[in-house]
Amino acid sequence: MSTRIQRRVLADGREILFFQDADSPVQTIAEDPRPAEQRPVGGQLRFDLLTGEWVAVATHRQSRTHLPAAAECPLCPSTPERPTEVPAEDYEVVVFENRFPSLGPKQGSVPADPGPAFAEAAAESALTAPAHGRCEVVVFSSEHNGSFADLDTRRARTVIDAWANRTAELSELPGIEQVFVFENRGEEIGVTMNHPHGQIYAYPYVTPHTMVTSARAVAHRRETGRPLMGDILSFERTSGERMVLESAHFSAFVPYAARWPIEVHIVPHRQVLGIDELDEAERDDLARIYPEVLRRIDGLYPSPTPYIAAWHQAPVNCADRSAEWMHLEITSPRRAEDKLKFLAGSEAAMGAFVGDVSAEETAARLRAVSTVHEDGAR
Ligand SMILES: [Zn+2]
């Protein structure tokens, strides 16, 4: 890997990592000038007996920074007058532990199913655990304005290397069962800071969504001898109707049963379990195709579209490694220039989606977007 990494510790003990391209000059990183302070103790996990799901309760997050102006942005580089979260005058890509984490800072295991312990003694203690895990912030650029779609290929590649590094390291931490790399973009979907950044959650349990998809992948493998995602990939590549882009190592398509008005899955052609397993050529290819897909999504409307970009990686201790296959899902609730899809009764209460547009139509619109653009011309 060509990306260089420098590690430091912030004034309150949080870890910060600077990722740099090998060909850029070594950056000077200062000591965090802020006074040393105690980190919050962290939140709680509560087990929902009805669904069998853990719910993180992080009341300390209420005080977190909300949509700061550029002059107050905690993700911008530090200046002598204003120290930020990043103690450097400039940087390329930086990752640090979230100051207001939903999970962590403590690490450890939680029971997979506290149901039996609760049946034994109907006590709160059986249904409660510390919010073990770790939450990190991944800052894509020192520029306050912009987005992942604006990154050049080299910078996008550095971000991918940072994700790969974090996936591998966080998977090794005690008690971590799943590493989730994601980006929320747009105030409409609850973004509290506009500076281009993503996040990573390292959970002490397998998330409800992955429980379902992983079990289906394992069953398919058992029945057919083939990984499920490989079959989906062949199906989409053969049909072509929902394909948005195809490169040497990845296919980007609108899934057959798309739930959201805009939904694109980016799937590697080779079976890998996580971003850390992508080889050099695949990472270079992804650094081209991923921003291109985002530019097409942004090209659908005159203003940028809010989205969630979610990396579905295999659980750390998955039941059958030969069944798992990582992919990226980009979804947006935007269904018209000035309309968002809201999750109402069927979706919110039952998890049963009702789509508003056909996948084939969305794919055709995304294919038609011209992405010949100059920076800032969107
Ligand atoms: Zn900023």
Side-chain angles (χ1 to χ4, degrees), residues 202-264:
Y203 300 96
Y205 51 84
V206 178
T207 60
H209 180 87
T210 303
M211 282 285 220
V212 173
T213 54
S214 199
R216 288 193 59 79
V218 169
H220 185 88
R221 171 84 202 190
R222 201 171 46 226
E223 280 157 30
T224 65
R226 297 186 305 270
L228 177 58
M229 186 56 91
D231 281 2
I232 293 173
L233 198 52
S234 308
F235 166 64
E236 293 296 354
R237 293 177 84 184
T238 306
S239 148
E241 250 194 308
R242 288 167 297 279
M243 198 58 74
V244 177
L245 279 176
E246 211 173 332
S247 64
H249 301 285
F250 291 87
S251 285
F253 55 84
V254 181
Y256 183 69
R259 289 169 167 73
W260 296 93
I262 303 169
E263 179 166 349
V264 179

Side-chain angles (χ1 to χ4, degrees), residues 31-35 73-74 76-87:
E31 284 290 311
D32 185 354
R34 298 172 294 183
C73 177
C76 276
S78 288
T79 61
E81 300 75 38
R82 191 176 75 89
T84 68
E85 290 281 69
V86 190

Side-chain angles (χ1 to χ4, degrees), residues 260-328:
W260 296 93
I262 303 169
E263 179 166 349
V264 179
H265 294 187
I266 302 182
V267 181
H269 294 163
R270 186 172 66 91
Q271 182 181 14
V272 293
L273 276 65
I275 304 169
D276 52 326
E277 291 185 3
L278 293 173
D279 65 24
E280 296 284 318
E282 288 164 337
R283 291 181 193 195
D284 284 344
D285 194 27
L286 181 62
R288 282 188 296 269
I289 190 172
Y290 180 16
E292 170 69 19
V293 169
L294 293 178
R295 283 194 289 271
R296 281 174 187 270
I297 290 172
D298 271 349
L300 290 174
Y301 296 106
S303 61
T305 284
Y307 64 77
I308 295 168
W311 284 98
H312 292 254
Q313 310 196 87
V316 174
N317 301 300
C318 55
D320 179 1
R321 293 181 58 84
S322 70
E324 301 284 345
W325 194 313
M326 157 193 96
H327 71 287
L328 172 69

